Amino acid sequence: MILSRRVCRLFAVFFFILTFSAQAADQATPAEVIQKVTQAAEFLSTAGEKGLAEFWDKNGRWVWKDAYVWVLRCDKMTDAAHPFNPKLVGKDLAGFKDAEGNYFFVQLCETSKEPNGGWVEYWWPKVGETQPSRKIAYILPVPHQPYQVAAGIHDDRISLEELNKMIK
């Protein structure tokens, strides 16, 4: 009887580790977000407006794990391309507030003016959900183009200070 309890406990621990590892493998990291956003800015810098089509593709290279890159046009305060929320494209986003009352699109656009871009925190539902949770997004201007690219992840553990240290 004692041996079977130990075996059950070991199986429970093993199952927990496997489940946690699988979930972690499906979640994008801040480092991946920085890498993808940087790559997207480089791509769009040379591709220009014709490259926007790639950012509409839900199964394309700019969508990975639980994250995606979208394209903003801060001079017009609109989204230029979005794989999961096409209703935002072309819409005036200056007055959009998150669940906490933050004008986060304005914050994103202001942050994109920093030399290395930056991170913004806001409350937004995960894809397929309706309940908002903390989202942190990295935004970077696209050289020689009127666009900014951003990607975010839902994470309530890492601070903006820690995230911004990663890009300096």
Side-chain angles (χ1 to χ4, degrees):
M1 190 72 145
I2 294 173
L3 181 61
S4 64
R5 283 186 184 164
R6 286 183 183 164
V7 170
C8 287
R9 285 185 194 143
L10 284 173
F11 278 125
V13 169
F14 181 70
F15 180 76
F16 174 78
I17 291 169
L18 281 178
T19 302
F20 180 77
S21 296
Q23 287 176 342
D26 290 341
Q27 295 175 340
T29 66
E32 290 173 328
V33 168
I34 293 168
Q35 179 183 22
K36 284 284 192 178
V37 167
T38 302
Q39 291 170 349
E42 290 169 359
F43 165 75
L44 208 50
S45 177
T46 57
E49 186 175 352
K50 292 179 183 175
L52 291 176
E54 285 199 25
F55 295 91
W56 288 92
D57 186 357
K58 293 178 184 179
N59 299 308
R61 67 175 164 160
W62 305 116
V63 177
W64 79 106
K65 295 183 180 178
D66 63 339
Y68 55 88
V69 176
W70 80 96
V71 183
L72 293 93
R73 179 101 192 238
C74 288
D75 62 338
K76 296 184 178 186
M77 200 53 74
T78 64
D79 273 352
H82 198 295
F84 293 101
N85 205 342
K87 294 181 288 184
L88 295 178
V89 176
K91 191 172 191 170
D92 181 5
L93 302 174
F96 258 55
K97 293 181 186 179
D98 69 3
E100 300 287 315
N102 300 306
Y103 293 97
F104 66 99
F105 280 104
V106 173
Q107 291 174 326
L108 284 164
C109 289
E110 286 300 312
T111 301
S112 75
K113 295 175 184 176
E114 296 294 323
N116 297 319
W119 290 87
V120 173
E121 170 188 83
Y122 57 100
W123 293 83
W124 195 256
K126 294 178 182 178
V127 172
E129 295 184 9
T130 57
Q131 188 68 17
S133 58
R134 180 182 186 249
K135 188 168 187 176
I136 47 177
Y138 177 59
I139 187 163
L140 191 63
V142 177
H144 316 295
Q145 297 292 333
Y147 307 113
Q148 294 74 31
V149 289
I153 55 175
H154 291 268
D155 186 324
D156 57 2
R157 296 168 291 180
I158 192 164
S159 72
L160 287 178
E161 183 181 354
E162 291 173 277
L163 290 165
N164 282 313
K165 284 181 183 176
M166 296 174 71
I167 59 173
K168 298 208 181 229

